C-alpha cells in the first residue's frame, strides 16, 4: 500500500510476501513496516480484538 500524497509505503512484515512488496516501487520512498509477530517492525500491533461490528487493537 502506498500513500502518494505523503509518499510513504506501508508494508505488513508478517506477510510472507513482504520482501517482495518492499522491493517494489521507487527506492526513495520511505517505508513504514507494521506487524504483530515480527519485532523488527516499525509499528507493533498487540491485543487484537476482532468482531463482526468492530476491530480494536493496541498499537
Amino acid at each position: 500500500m502506498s500513500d502518494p500524497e505523503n509518499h510513504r509505503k506501508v508494508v505488513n512484515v508478517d506477510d510472507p510476501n513482504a520482501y517482495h512488496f518492499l522491493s517494489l516501487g521507487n527506492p526513495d520512498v520511505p517505508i513504514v513496516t507494521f506487524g504483530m509477530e515480527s519485532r523488527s517492525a516499525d509499528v507493533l500491533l498487540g491485543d487484537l480484538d476482532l468482531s463482526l461490528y468492530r476491530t480494536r487493537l493496541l498499537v
Side-chain angles (χ1 to χ4, degrees), residues 36 43-50 54-59:
M36 288 185 69
V43 178
L44 299 174
L45 306 178
D47 294 332
L48 182 63
D49 178 20
L50 297 173
R54 69 178 180 201
T55 300
R56 293 179 5 167
L57 57 98
L58 176 66
V59 178

Side-chain angles (χ1 to χ4, degrees), residues 13-38:
V13 292
D14 294 336
D15 186 312
N17 297 306
Y19 293 105
H20 170 72
F21 293 120
L22 290 169
S23 69
L24 295 176
N26 182 345
D28 296 328
V29 174
I31 297 170
V32 178
T33 59
F34 72 94
M36 288 185 69
E37 296 175 16
S38 177

